[in-house]
Amino acid sequence: DKAVLTPPYVHMCRTMKEYILYFMISGEMELAEGGNPVTLRANDVYILDPDVEHWGTKATECSYFYIHFTHSAIRAEEMEIDQLKGHMIDRRLNSMKESCSCKECERKKLLCIPKHFHINAPGGALALLDILQRIQNMYGSLILDTIYSDSTGHSSGIRPYL
């Protein structure tokens, strides 16, 4: 779903049971996750972890998409950015060599996503924004069936499963 925040609104404090992916369209959002400060700007992508409290630390103006999701195969791994880049390149090269569809080979094709990254490739952010807007337009009439509420009764967005 898409959200627009304007002061004096500050993101609520909450702990969710699923991951939340933010894609910042414009402005800036200041929040904390588990006590760690995070500043998000236009074209940033950030994934909030489940079972970790997060909250806004400052009233800011911003626009962003958010997607709540979960999957049993998701796991977090600590890596330096250069190590992650090497890991992703190795996985991509290996997947291009394999034509097998057994479970072991499929496991090797799992997607690696950094917790926080900025899209700076020309057209990359626009392409992602276009995809998210198309999804929102296509499924807008189905949102009532897929929307859920948090413990306070506030709407918390689409809950897709991978």
Side-chain angles (χ1 to χ4, degrees), residues 87-123:
H87 182 69
M88 292 172 75
I89 290 169
D90 289 345
R91 280 190 163 195
R92 177 68 179 137
L93 292 173
N94 288 333
S95 73
M96 290 170 34
K97 294 177 191 173
E98 298 171 355
S99 60
C100 180
S101 62
C102 72
K103 286 190 180 213
E104 179 62 24
C105 292
E106 289 300 316
R107 187 188 66 73
K108 292 177 185 176
K109 295 178 184 177
L110 292 177
L111 179 64
C112 295
I113 303 173
K115 180 172 181 62
H116 185 189
F117 62 97
H118 180 80
I119 299 174
N120 56 9

Side-chain angles (χ1 to χ4, degrees), residues 132-141:
L132 291 170
Q133 287 176 328
R134 286 177 190 219
I135 290 170
Q136 186 180 38
N137 291 339
M138 282 180 7
Y139 296 103
S141 61

Side-chain angles (χ1 to χ4, degrees), residues 15-31:
T15 303
M16 303 301 290
K17 294 290 182 193
E18 63 274 341
Y19 292 91
I20 306 171
L21 182 143
Y22 285 164
F23 171 59
M24 298 296 294
I25 299 167
S26 65
E28 188 172 280
M29 179 190 292
E30 293 191 27
L31 54 99

Side-chain angles (χ1 to χ4, degrees), residues 3-159:
V4 176
L5 303 181
T6 56
Y9 181 83
V10 177
H11 193 294
M12 71 183 96
C13 180
R14 63 187 181 166
T15 303
M16 303 301 290
K17 294 290 182 193
E18 63 274 341
Y19 292 91
I20 306 171
L21 182 143
Y22 285 164
F23 171 59
M24 298 296 294
I25 299 167
S26 65
E28 188 172 280
M29 179 190 292
E30 293 191 27
L31 54 99
E33 181 184 26
N36 299 313
V38 178
T39 300
L40 302 175
R41 295 178 179 86
N43 300 340
D44 278 355
V45 176
Y46 188 79
I47 301 174
L48 290 164
D49 289 324
D51 300 316
V52 177
E53 187 175 54
H54 67 276
W55 62 92
T57 58
K58 182 179 176 183
T60 58
E61 191 166 325
C62 65
S63 177
Y64 63 98
F65 275 98
Y66 62 96
I67 300 171
H68 292 240
F69 65 96
T70 187
H71 192 281
S72 62
I74 295 174
R75 68 179 194 281
E77 291 188 20
E78 295 288 328
M79 287 186 197
E80 294 297 322
I81 192 68
D82 289 336
Q83 183 184 8
L84 176 63
K85 286 178 183 177
H87 182 69
M88 292 172 75
I89 290 169
D90 289 345
R91 280 190 163 195
R92 177 68 179 137
L93 292 173
N94 288 333
S95 73
M96 290 170 34
K97 294 177 191 173
E98 298 171 355
S99 60
C100 180
S101 62
C102 72
K103 286 190 180 213
E104 179 62 24
C105 292
E106 289 300 316
R107 187 188 66 73
K108 292 177 185 176
K109 295 178 184 177
L110 292 177
L111 179 64
C112 295
I113 303 173
K115 180 172 181 62
H116 185 189
F117 62 97
H118 180 80
I119 299 174
N120 56 9
L126 288 175
L128 179 56
L129 179 59
D130 181 58
I131 290 167
L132 291 170
Q133 287 176 328
R134 286 177 190 219
I135 290 170
Q136 186 180 38
N137 291 339
M138 282 180 7
Y139 296 103
S141 61
L142 300 176
I143 286 177
L144 292 177
D145 295 332
T146 57
I147 216 153
Y148 71 103
S149 298
D150 62 19
S151 60
T152 64
H154 292 96
S155 171
S156 299
I158 300 173
R159 186 177 186 177

